[in-house]
Amino acid sequence: MDATRRSSRAGNGSNRSQIYALQEKGTQSIRFERVSLKYDNGRTVFDDFSMEVEHGQVTCLMGSSGIGKTTLLRMAAGLVKPTAGTIYRENPERMGYVFQEPRLLPAKNVLDNVRWVLNGEKDEEKNRMALELLMEADLSTALHDYPDQLSGGMKQRVAVVRAFVTTPGLLFMDEPFQSLDAATRQDMHRLFLRLWEREKPTVIVVTHDLEEALTLGTRIVVLDGKPAIIKADVSAATTDKHGRTGFSEPIKARLRQINFRNG
């Protein structure tokens, strides 16, 4: 049963209503049901598009540039309204969003950037929660540094910690590691997995990097076409010695045959 419903008219003059329905916790965290999105210039990004996102999974969205990955992410987060259709979503107490750039507050140091999102907590609890994750991210020596004193990798670590420190039920990540060098990106992957393993929130990650999706994801969805459709949808099925699920070699080979950048 839907917990809450709110509807509004579509922004392009259509007489079809769009409805966001926040649903009680179940096996699904998000469900796109016959969703369409058409821009004022006539371009249709999605038309009658449906997809489900399972609770507690890391779903990686892939596809060529401009296909609609970030748009789908932003619709899931409620930042973009579809022209038509329904988006069902859990009603978690907290949601997080990690952008392509860190978006740290320049006038606050590392510790205060993380503490800033903990509005409802007492000062002592804020410090404990922030310090615990900052130490996990190897940032204990940079607590009082400001963003302009940090490397790109350190800034992004702070951004990821800030997203996880609120213990979000839903986390949205838009190519958060794309600007980092290969070694730093691998460090960020390890950090993400350590933080995700703590509570296992539902995560949607947009990425162009297949190896990143294979490392972080429990599911990979590939978009293609205009308007966008699901070209491939695969889930991790194997388990390694640490108990983590992974993708089979045949699935990896199949995905590596897809050109994600140029469509």
Side-chain angles (χ1 to χ4, degrees):
M1 179 68 70
D2 298 334
T4 304
R5 288 180 181 268
R6 57 185 178 88
S7 62
S8 60
R9 291 296 180 186
N12 69 346
S14 169
N15 60 6
R16 291 178 293 178
S17 295
Q18 60 197 26
I19 301 173
Y20 285 83
L22 305 184
Q23 60 182 182
E24 296 175 352
K25 186 173 181 179
T27 59
Q28 301 164 2
S29 281
I30 301 171
R31 185 168 85 249
F32 297 88
E33 190 171 283
R34 306 191 68 175
V35 167
S36 297
L37 180 68
K38 185 175 182 179
Y39 291 133
D40 290 338
N41 63 8
R43 181 192 169 205
T44 300
V45 185
F46 294 99
D47 184 29
D48 207 28
F49 178 90
S50 297
M51 186 180 83
E52 297 176 354
V53 177
E54 295 297 316
H55 179 77
Q57 301 297 308
V58 181
T59 299
C60 292
L61 297 178
M62 302 196 69
S64 59
S65 296
I67 200 69
K69 302 182 299 298
T70 294
T71 300
L72 191 64
L73 186 78
R74 290 171 64 82
M75 283 199 293
L79 301 177
V80 171
K81 294 181 179 180
T83 304
T86 307
I87 299 175
Y88 296 90
R89 191 178 66 196
E90 280 184 3
N91 189 14
E93 185 177 349
R94 296 183 177 94
M95 293 189 293
Y97 204 111
V98 181
F99 297 88
Q100 294 179 14
E101 64 282 346
R103 298 200 180 187
L104 303 181
L105 299 171
K108 292 184 180 292
N109 62 29
V110 167
L111 179 59
D112 286 340
N113 258 284
V114 175
R115 282 165 42 95
W116 179 71
V117 298
L118 296 168
N119 294 327
E121 306 293 341
K122 296 181 179 179
D123 285 345
E124 182 177 340
E125 184 66 6
K126 284 183 183 181
N127 282 332
R128 185 194 67 77
M129 296 169 69
L131 287 170
E132 181 179 348
L133 291 197
L134 286 168
M135 286 191 290
E136 180 76 31
D138 296 324
L139 289 166
S140 58
T141 60
L143 297 179
H144 303 293
D145 290 348
Y146 287 83
D148 62 0
Q149 298 173 299
L150 304 176
S151 67
M154 292 176 75
K155 290 177 184 178
Q156 203 63 5
R157 273 188 279 167
V158 176
V160 171
V161 166
R162 189 170 63 181
F164 274 99
V165 76
T166 61
T167 317
L170 291 172
L171 178 58
F172 307 97
M173 306 180 75
D174 187 6
E175 297 191 79
F177 313 130
Q178 68 164 356
S179 62
L180 305 177
D181 61 72
T184 304
R185 181 177 291 198
Q186 289 179 356
D187 288 341
M188 291 301 304
H189 292 169
R190 287 189 285 269
L191 173 63
F192 169 85
L193 290 171
R194 290 201 305 271
L195 296 180
W196 178 75
E197 285 284 352
R198 287 170 168 245
E199 301 289 340
K200 293 191 175 179
T202 303
V203 184
I204 303 179
V205 184
V206 169
T207 179
H208 276 108
D209 186 336
L210 176 58
E211 298 309 314
E212 180 169 87
L214 291 171
T215 299
L216 302 183
T218 58
R219 178 189 180 195
I220 297 174
V221 175
V222 181
L223 301 179
D224 190 27
K226 295 181 181 180
I229 61 170
I230 295 177
K231 180 177 183 177
D233 185 349
V234 297
S235 296
T238 61
T239 304
D240 65 16
K241 62 182 180 181
H242 302 294
R244 281 192 186 137
T245 56
F247 297 90
S248 67
E249 291 305 318
I251 285 178
K252 291 179 182 178
R254 175 187 169 196
L255 290 170
R256 288 182 177 124
Q257 294 176 350
I258 300 173
N259 186 337
F260 294 104
R261 290 195 175 274
N262 300 317

